Amino acid sequence: MRKNMVIAIDGYSSCGKSTLAKALAKKLGFIYIDSGAMYRAITLYFLRNHVDLGNHDAIVDALQHIELNFHSKDYESHITLNGEEVSEEIRLMPVSEAVSPVSAIKEVRQEMVKQQQRMGKSKNIVMDGRDIGTAVFPDAQVKFFMTADPKIRAERRYKEMVAKGDQTITLEEVFENLAHRDYADTTREESPLTRAEDAIILDNTDITEEEQLHFALEKVSPFLPH
Ligand code: DC
């Protein structure tokens, strides 16, 4: 049994995983780690450096030149890529469109999982992603598997992007990107997105953020360290 506490949150793209993860971390005083941001930052590096995804040696070499670090401000997680703050750039469409094939690469996943396990070795954490309850922390004390109606997810994400000032995007493009990533995430060979047997299903199509936090806190409370 692990001494520190890990809450694993997995699920489809734009299901509100990070909203729940941040709210739980804030309430419980845990550290929030956004594993998707790591795959996105790697993707940004690969795009900028024209890394050939078919070239094994180039991938291994590139991974050795990448240093990722998280720093937290008001429970918003920020990520740096070799010292550069890239939190905003990794959310834009070029990265969202290129991240699926990068996150399907075995060497990339092995390196990310190693780093994620290190981050959760001794501290109490909430980590969200696609394989956290299955591959990264199969021994997490509490696991959630989140889902929601795809149309609702696309609308929420679209509104978020417009609010951030993205004028070029359309709702259809966001919907297509989510559908494409869901398909890629669930069908890839390496650690596909799947519900851990012991994960609690949370469908937030018709519930508010407050209701979902309340539901999650009830499930987590029996496991909290005294
Ligand atoms: O959570 P997100 O949408 O920011 O993640 C971006 C992509 O990274 C997503 O399409 C799938 C991949 N990913 C993954 O394969 N494993 C994780 N643990 C987290 C994200």
Side-chain angles (χ1 to χ4, degrees), residues 9-14 17-18 34-40 43 90-91 95-96 99-100 102-104 109 112-113 116 127-132 136 157 177-178 181-182 184-185 188 190-191 193:
I9 304 182
D10 290 304
Y12 298 97
S13 292
S14 292
K17 297 187 294 295
S18 70
D34 173 359
S35 72
M38 300 169 74
Y39 289 96
R40 287 173 178 272
T43 302
I90 60 168
R91 305 273 154 220
V95 171
S96 295
V99 68
S100 292
V102 174
S103 65
R109 300 206 72 81
M112 291 304 96
V113 170
Q116 288 152 4
M127 190 180 287
D128 71 346
R130 306 294 188 288
D131 61 342
I132 311 306
V136 185
R157 182 106 191 103
N177 177 256
L178 292 187
R181 286 200 288 137
D182 283 352
D185 290 346
R188 71 176 174 228
E190 294 294 325
S191 325
L193 168 64

Side-chain angles (χ1 to χ4, degrees), residues 117-136:
Q117 287 173 336
R118 211 180 297 139
M119 291 181 219
K121 213 164 175 175
S122 54
K123 298 193 172 114
N124 295 328
I125 63 163
V126 185
M127 190 180 287
D128 71 346
R130 306 294 188 288
D131 61 342
I132 311 306
T134 51
V136 185

Side-chain angles (χ1 to χ4, degrees), residues 25-206:
K26 196 169 179 178
K27 194 90 186 168
L28 302 172
F30 285 18
I31 292 170
Y32 164 54
I33 301 164
D34 173 359
S35 72
M38 300 169 74
Y39 289 96
R40 287 173 178 272
I42 298 275
T43 302
L44 179 61
Y45 181 94
F46 280 17
L47 284 173
R48 284 179 177 175
N49 294 279
H50 309 286
V51 175
D52 175 2
L53 301 190
N55 183 337
H56 172 267
D57 291 347
I59 290 167
V60 172
D61 182 64
L63 287 172
Q64 283 171 356
H65 290 91
I66 298 176
E67 195 189 319
L68 303 177
N69 280 299
F70 281 105
H71 53 105
S72 175
K73 253 192 246 158
D74 303 329
Y75 286 94
E76 284 300 323
S77 113
H78 293 264
I79 189 164
T80 57
L81 166 62
N82 295 335
E84 177 192 348
E85 163 75 60
V86 291
S87 310
E88 288 193 5
E89 192 170 355
I90 60 168
R91 305 273 154 220
L92 299 178
M93 251 351 197
V95 171
S96 295
E97 281 175 354
V99 68
S100 292
V102 174
S103 65
I105 298 170
K106 190 172 171 186
E107 291 76 8
V108 170
R109 300 206 72 81
Q110 281 172 343
E111 181 56 32
M112 291 304 96
V113 170
K114 201 164 75 186
Q115 292 191 18
Q116 288 152 4
Q117 287 173 336
R118 211 180 297 139
M119 291 181 219
K121 213 164 175 175
S122 54
K123 298 193 172 114
N124 295 328
I125 63 163
V126 185
M127 190 180 287
D128 71 346
R130 306 294 188 288
D131 61 342
I132 311 306
T134 51
V136 185
F137 296 111
D139 59 347
Q141 287 88 342
V142 188
K143 301 176 185 176
F144 292 103
F145 188 84
M146 291 183 65
T147 170
D149 181 289
K151 269 197 198 141
I152 300 279
R153 287 194 269 142
E155 276 165 24
R156 286 179 187 159
R157 182 106 191 103
Y158 173 72
K159 277 188 197 150
E160 213 175 85
M161 294 177 90
V162 171
K164 277 191 186 154
D166 195 332
Q167 312 272 342
T168 53
I169 198 91
T170 67
L171 178 59
E172 288 66 35
E173 280 170 331
V174 175
F175 184 86
E176 285 304 317
N177 177 256
L178 292 187
H180 170 75
R181 286 200 288 137
D182 283 352
Y183 179 77
D185 290 346
T186 48
T187 56
R188 71 176 174 228
E189 224 165 273
E190 294 294 325
S191 325
L193 168 64
T194 160
R195 181 176 80 88
E197 265 180 28
D198 51 350
I200 300 158
I201 295 179
L202 202 174
D203 182 333
N204 67 12
T205 305
D206 296 314

